[in-house]
Amino acid sequence: MKLSDIDEKYLKGEQPEELEEEKYDNEIYNVMEKNGVSKKNIIDTAMELYFSHPGLETKEKAESIFTRELDIAFSDPNLCILVYSGILLEKEGEAGSLPNLSKSSYEKDLSFIIADEVLGMSISKYISGDKGMFEYVRFDKEKPGILSKLGPFMDDVVAGIVGGVSANMYTRAIAEMDNNNESGE
């Protein structure tokens, strides 16, 4: 029997359609902070490459909208799991436990190893589509803020977060500006 032969209704069984209102201890900001990346690090990194834009004329306004967009993005458990996978890959690389990759190769961040970039691009694209990937590349290339201090996986994970959220920040600022203009504010 192939997976494609299984009727979809049996895959979910009695699974609820929505998440249960259950308390959890491992909120993604806490998990990231335990692994060397604070919410402030993410925001500061994003603001290093801030540029004035319609609807984001000041750095203070940009930081406020970026923070709101970051919180919205991290409300999605799928994104949090992608980020967590990067944290686990980083730990395994540091321990020399990644399959088919020596610890010294991991530490050199060899250019033919692209799994870290694929993860960063996936995160940015998940958050904001193709626009996020362009921002990811901008942050990955410049390595502002904490990005220059992180290991091979985490620099791309954080660049993906910042890239995706930044793209949403600029888009949201224009949309809010247009909405304000239409309502006569």
Side-chain angles (χ1 to χ4, degrees):
M1 173 180 260
K2 297 182 293 191
L3 186 58
S4 61
D5 293 335
I6 299 172
D7 190 355
E8 181 182 348
K9 67 180 177 184
Y10 296 116
L11 294 177
K12 291 197 175 194
E14 298 298 319
Q15 181 177 344
E17 291 294 316
E18 296 180 14
L19 288 174
E20 295 174 22
E21 289 298 318
E22 193 175 306
K23 195 72 175 157
Y24 48 88
D25 297 328
N26 52 346
E27 199 245 7
I28 194 63
Y29 287 124
N30 296 335
V31 173
M32 290 185 72
E33 182 131 22
K34 287 178 192 169
N35 288 280
V37 181
S38 69
K39 183 177 182 179
K40 183 175 177 358
N41 293 144
I42 296 169
I43 295 165
D44 290 348
T45 297
M47 292 303 105
E48 280 195 37
L49 295 187
Y50 157 79
F51 59 91
S52 183
H53 193 274
L56 294 174
E57 292 78 14
T58 68
K59 201 170 196 174
E60 292 75 23
K61 186 170 184 182
E63 187 172 318
S64 173
I65 293 175
F66 181 89
T67 302
R68 183 182 69 203
E69 291 297 321
L70 181 62
D71 290 340
I72 291 168
F74 276 154
S75 70
D76 183 334
N78 294 296
L79 175 62
C80 297
I81 292 167
L82 283 170
V83 170
Y84 188 63
S85 70
I87 291 169
L88 294 176
L89 287 165
E90 193 75 43
K91 286 180 181 181
E92 292 297 312
E94 289 168 356
S97 301
L98 290 172
N100 292 24
L101 187 66
S102 70
K103 184 175 180 176
S104 65
S105 292
Y106 159 82
E107 290 169 349
K108 292 175 187 170
D109 195 9
L110 299 170
S111 61
F112 70 88
I113 303 298
I114 61 165
D116 50 340
E117 276 81 14
V118 170
L119 184 56
M121 286 187 281
S122 297
I123 288 169
S124 65
K125 191 167 185 172
Y126 184 80
I127 295 170
S128 64
D130 290 335
K131 292 182 286 186
M133 286 192 27
F134 283 101
E135 283 290 288
Y136 160 78
V137 169
R138 189 167 76 98
F139 281 91
D140 187 45
K141 189 180 264 188
E142 294 290 323
K143 301 262 190 258
I146 196 165
L147 296 182
S148 65
K149 299 172 181 84
L150 296 173
F153 281 95
M154 284 308 293
D155 71 334
D156 289 292
V157 165
V158 175
I161 295 164
V162 172
V165 173
S166 291
N168 282 352
M169 171 188 71
Y170 290 111
T171 301
R172 181 96 58 199
I174 290 175
E176 287 177 358
M177 188 179 72
D178 289 345
N179 288 339
N180 290 340
N181 289 340
E182 288 174 8
S183 66
E185 291 182 13

